[in-house]
Amino acid sequence: MEKKIRIGICGYGNLGHGVELAVNRAEDMELVGVFSRRDLPGTASGVPAINLKHVLEYKDKIDVMILCGGSATDLIDQGPELAHHFVTVDSFDTHPRIPEHFANMEAVTKANNTAAIISVGWDPGLFSLLRVLGDSVLPEGKSYTFWGKGVSQGHSDAIRRIPGVKNGKQYTIPKEEYLEAVRSGKGTDAPGNEMHLRECFVVPEEGADLKAIETAIKTMPNYFVGYETTVHFISEEEFAKKHSGIPHGGFVFRNGKTDDTTGHVMEFSLKLDSNPQFTSSVLTAFARAMYRLHFEQGKCGAFTVLDIPFAMLSPKSPADLRKSML
Amino acid sequence: MEKKIRIGICGYGNLGHGVELAVNRAEDMELVGVFSRRDLPGTASGVPAINLKHVLEYKDKIDVMILCGGSATDLIDQGPELAHHFVTVDSFDTHPRIPEHFANMEAVTKANNTAAIISVGWDPGLFSLLRVLGDSVLPEGKSYTFWGKGVSQGHSDAIRRIPGVKNGKQYTIPKEEYLEAVRSGKGTDAPGNEMHLRECFVVPEEGADLKAIETAIKTMPNYFVGYETTVHFISEEEFAKKHSGIPHGGFVFRNGKTDDTTGHVMEFSLKLDSNPQFTSSVLTAFARAMYRLHFEQGKCGAFTVLDIPFAMLSPKSPADLRKSML
């Protein structure tokens, strides 16, 4: 049996729990421990829970550290700190700050002979890969990304901050007519806000002013203004029964032509019962690639999903992949 | 302006014509010429048509040679011959012989400090990439590939060889009920032949025995036996009007779960007005990657699509891709 890839998890929210599941199910990996700033009472699978202040004691015991910090703000500080000592994988998703985070990680990893991959997940991540593939294969064309149907955490949080709201969840939903226009190759010039609906399920506090809550949601700048938004008030029981999951998904399309009359449609879509569990599975596959990149090929520096050949994601050998999957 | 990538095309059937279109539309590429065993009267775009016997005179004038031989048999001989002298890209698609072709190309390219990528296109090719991605991200699951709706050249040729058949075309069509079963995450255990229909359009010779033709088609071993097959007899005019294109496409699915109750569906699909033109566009993007791999990174040897990071397919810079597409 070959040596297993020794994985550490840093952060124990939804994402950390998902990575714990994925790593424990991967035959070529071994989960060394879960690190947290908090003193965790334990972990779901029984692997050690370790306070983050002891992380340097694990420098030679962990090959790849998967950063599952709760927010992008965590990652922008924690990423460079941990990349001083570890090969890291993160899911940094604050789009305008990606070049800055990449530059930080590039500097730290080059100076310390480590390696890091940033912005891994499904968007950014798998969707980015498909956007680049579409743009490269069909240079004369147009790309479209749709999100949903799925829960937007940011919008759900925004709803829950409104006075009189006890609980709330927002689903982003692609409008069927735009999906069809793009899937048929006809395309659309509609902006993103027109191509999506926002559907909100709200549990009001007793005696709350429902009309005022609805208005507060629909007129919230940056979040809901410009979107077709529907608001449903429901009971706490119904909320618990129907809206406790974190499903998500979406679509990446490329419509392009190869001569004046010959068109093509490429479509990639995801339907996910659990957004964090799927994201965790993507992080885990790219952790395998980073192990190979750094420890087998000797590479240092910062990377993104666009730099990783797919053969490196698989536990199978290149010859086996050529024989069975090509 | 940076130096353009100098491309040669070897073979001038549908695929060669498609590559000619794609390379002429790529701003970072220059098409040097089209090579053929025949003395071509000229090319569609006016680039030089050159007899293959002069190919060695172009050794220092071409960076990447795209092999567009008409059949897999062409490629298995021509590939190693040309890879002695050139960096090559081919679309070898005889699945059971891929390991053999890879080994041949690996030996020649290593011995001669060249590089080759084999089996580029959409299947093998993009579909292979998506199969590996699905298998790597959702290791507990099942993959499905559907082909069509589209023209199967091999089956159309087989029909045209039947006595009494003047012209014929066969469409492979995925059955909607199986697509839906897989797309919903329910999955299926049906074998590939049950998941597809074969629809045939036949122009009979005058006075031909239609019943005999239909029976000959439906009972043809390896091609039609085991498939639900329909045969339509049509006039030459209708054939020319409705069945002169070479559309194709298909679907790759991965259904998988990340814990006992949490499932996910990944779907990739193509709808192509012209199978050879799209395949040509894929070959052209991977020719760009091979230029970089060999001439910028100094790599030699045989490769497949599974070895190529997507950033290398794009004419855009890595920093630009991170900023605009990640």
Side-chain angles (χ1 to χ4, degrees):
Chain A
M1 179 75 206
E2 266 187 85
K3 176 188 170 298
K4 292 197 178 192
I5 305 173
R6 299 168 304 171
I7 301 285
I9 292 172
C10 183
Y12 203 47
N14 284 329
L15 210 54
H17 279 85
V19 173
E20 181 182 15
L21 275 174
V23 171
N24 279 326
R25 287 173 177 232
E27 287 185 8
D28 59 341
M29 294 182 170
E30 179 194 341
L31 183 56
V32 175
V34 176
F35 297 83
S36 172
R37 284 202 206 90
R38 297 174 286 149
D39 277 316
L40 299 172
T43 62
S45 67
V47 301
I50 305 155
N51 194 295
L52 189 58
K53 65 189 174 201
H54 297 296
V55 72
L56 290 191
E57 298 163 29
Y58 289 81
K59 193 167 163 154
D60 299 320
K61 295 181 184 126
I62 283 172
D63 298 315
V64 183
M65 186 70 89
I66 303 181
L67 309 190
C68 302
S71 76
T73 332
D74 281 354
L75 293 176
I76 213 151
D77 296 327
Q78 211 175 53
E81 280 167 30
L82 287 166
H84 263 96
H85 311 286
F86 296 95
V87 173
T88 65
V89 179
D90 78 44
S91 59
F92 188 77
D93 65 356
T94 307
H95 197 273
R97 297 187 76 182
I98 284 177
E100 171 196 352
H101 184 51
F102 186 86
N104 290 345
M105 295 299 266
E106 175 85 339
V108 170
T109 50
K110 289 260 161 123
N112 294 280
N113 292 320
T114 57
I117 185 164
I118 71 160
S119 301
V120 178
W122 59 272
D123 197 4
L126 305 194
F127 276 18
S128 322
L129 285 164
L130 271 290
R131 285 189 286 263
V132 170
L133 184 67
D135 188 70
S136 302
V137 168
L138 294 174
E140 286 178 46
K142 192 169 172 185
S143 298
Y144 304 87
T145 304
F146 293 87
W147 292 274
K149 180 182 177 176
V151 175
S152 164
Q153 302 278 17
H155 289 79
S156 300
D157 291 346
I159 290 173
R160 287 192 294 262
R161 285 191 295 264
I162 296 172
V165 171
K166 197 168 179 185
N167 210 344
K169 205 158 231 180
Q170 193 261 188
Y171 296 88
T172 305
I173 307 173
K175 290 186 192 169
E176 206 52 54
E177 65 264 37
Y178 290 106
L179 276 180
E180 276 318 306
V182 171
R183 186 174 284 133
S184 71
K186 210 182 80 185
T188 173
D189 290 321
N193 61 332
E194 238 181 83
M195 301 197 300
H196 294 85
L197 297 173
R198 297 201 179 280
E199 188 171 27
C200 311
F201 292 87
V202 177
V203 181
E205 306 270 10
E206 213 170 298
D209 179 345
L210 304 189
K211 195 66 216 159
I213 292 174
E214 184 167 345
T215 303
I217 292 175
K218 292 186 172 175
T219 60
M220 197 186 297
N222 303 321
Y223 285 86
F224 292 96
V225 169
Y227 283 87
E228 187 177 332
T229 301
T230 56
V231 179
H232 310 279
F233 291 99
I234 60 174
S235 69
E236 206 151 12
E237 295 67 40
E238 191 181 342
F239 190 91
K241 197 172 153 196
K242 297 190 187 159
H243 303 286
S244 60
I246 318 174
H248 218 312
F251 303 81
V252 175
F253 288 92
R254 181 71 177 181
N255 291 0
K257 54 185 191 177
T258 45
D259 70 21
D260 294 346
T261 58
T262 309
H264 312 281
V265 178
M266 301 167 69
E267 174 176 353
F268 178 66
S269 71
L270 296 172
K271 276 204 231 44
L272 312 174
D273 276 358
S274 160
N275 181 358
Q277 278 190 24
F278 185 80
T279 301
S280 301
S281 293
V282 178
L283 289 166
T284 302
F286 279 91
R288 177 180 294 119
M290 290 308 289
Y291 174 81
R292 292 169 169 173
L293 200 75
H294 181 71
F295 293 101
E296 295 178 0
Q297 303 185 357
K299 291 193 183 156
C300 298
F303 299 87
T304 75
V305 295
L306 305 177
D307 303 308
I308 307 297
F310 283 15
M312 293 181 77
L313 302 174
S314 172
K316 301 186 169 80
S317 76
D320 189 11
L321 290 176
R322 285 194 295 272
K323 199 167 163 12
S324 63
M325 300 227 183
L326 202 62
Chain B
M1 179 75 205
E2 266 187 86
K3 174 186 170 300
K4 292 195 178 193
I5 304 172
R6 300 168 304 171
I7 302 283
I9 293 172
C10 183
Y12 203 46
N14 284 330
L15 210 55
H17 278 86
V19 173
E20 181 183 15
L21 275 173
V23 172
N24 280 327
R25 288 174 175 230
E27 287 184 8
D28 60 341
M29 294 182 171
E30 179 195 341
L31 183 56
V32 175
V34 175
F35 296 83
S36 172
R37 285 202 207 87
R38 297 174 286 150
D39 277 316
L40 298 172
T43 62
S45 67
V47 301
I50 304 154
N51 193 294
L52 189 59
K53 65 189 175 203
H54 298 295
V55 73
L56 290 191
E57 298 163 29
Y58 288 81
K59 193 168 163 151
D60 298 321
K61 296 181 183 125
I62 284 171
D63 298 315
V64 182
M65 186 69 91
I66 304 180
L67 310 190
C68 302
S71 75
T73 332
D74 281 355
L75 294 175
I76 212 149
D77 296 329
Q78 213 176 52
E81 281 166 29
L82 287 165
H84 263 97
H85 311 285
F86 296 95
V87 173
T88 65
V89 179
D90 77 46
S91 59
F92 188 77
D93 65 355
T94 308
H95 197 273
R97 297 187 75 182
I98 284 177
E100 171 195 353
H101 184 51
F102 186 87
N104 290 344
M105 296 299 265
E106 176 85 340
V108 170
T109 51
K110 289 260 161 124
N112 294 279
N113 293 320
T114 58
I117 186 165
I118 71 159
S119 303
V120 178
W122 59 272
D123 196 3
L126 306 193
F127 275 18
S128 322
L129 283 163
L130 270 290
R131 284 189 286 261
V132 170
L133 184 67
D135 188 69
S136 303
V137 168
L138 294 174
E140 286 178 46
K142 191 170 173 183
S143 298
Y144 303 87
T145 303
F146 292 87
W147 293 274
K149 181 183 177 174
V151 175
S152 164
Q153 303 278 15
H155 289 79
S156 300
D157 291 346
I159 290 173
R160 286 192 294 263
R161 285 192 295 264
I162 296 173
V165 171
K166 195 168 180 184
N167 210 344
K169 203 158 233 179
Q170 193 262 187
Y171 296 89
T172 304
I173 306 173
K175 290 186 193 169
E176 206 53 53
E177 66 264 37
Y178 290 107
L179 276 179
E180 275 319 305
V182 171
R183 185 174 285 134
S184 71
K186 211 181 81 183
T188 172
D189 290 321
N193 61 332
E194 237 180 84
M195 301 197 300
H196 295 84
L197 296 173
R198 298 201 178 280
E199 188 171 27
C200 310
F201 293 87
V202 177
V203 181
E205 306 271 10
E206 213 169 298
D209 179 346
L210 304 189
K211 197 65 214 158
I213 292 174
E214 184 167 345
T215 302
I217 293 175
K218 291 186 172 175
T219 59
M220 198 185 297
N222 302 321
Y223 285 86
F224 292 96
V225 168
Y227 282 88
E228 185 178 333
T229 301
T230 57
V231 179
H232 309 278
F233 292 99
I234 60 174
S235 70
E236 207 152 9
E237 295 68 41
E238 190 182 341
F239 191 92
K241 197 171 152 198
K242 296 190 186 161
H243 302 287
S244 60
I246 319 174
H248 218 312
F251 303 80
V252 175
F253 288 93
R254 180 73 177 180
N255 291 1
K257 55 185 190 176
T258 46
D259 70 20
D260 294 345
T261 58
T262 309
H264 312 281
V265 178
M266 302 168 69
E267 174 177 353
F268 177 66
S269 71
L270 296 172
K271 276 202 231 46
L272 313 173
D273 277 358
S274 161
N275 182 357
Q277 279 191 23
F278 184 80
T279 301
S280 301
S281 293
V282 179
L283 288 166
T284 302
F286 279 92
R288 177 179 295 119
M290 289 308 288
Y291 174 81
R292 292 168 170 175
L293 199 75
H294 182 70
F295 293 101
E296 295 178 359
Q297 302 185 357
K299 291 193 185 158
C300 298
F303 299 86
T304 75
V305 296
L306 305 177
D307 303 308
I308 307 298
F310 282 14
M312 294 181 76
L313 302 174
S314 172
K316 302 187 168 78
S317 75
D320 190 12
L321 291 177
R322 284 194 296 270
K323 199 168 161 16
S324 64
M325 301 227 182
L326 202 62

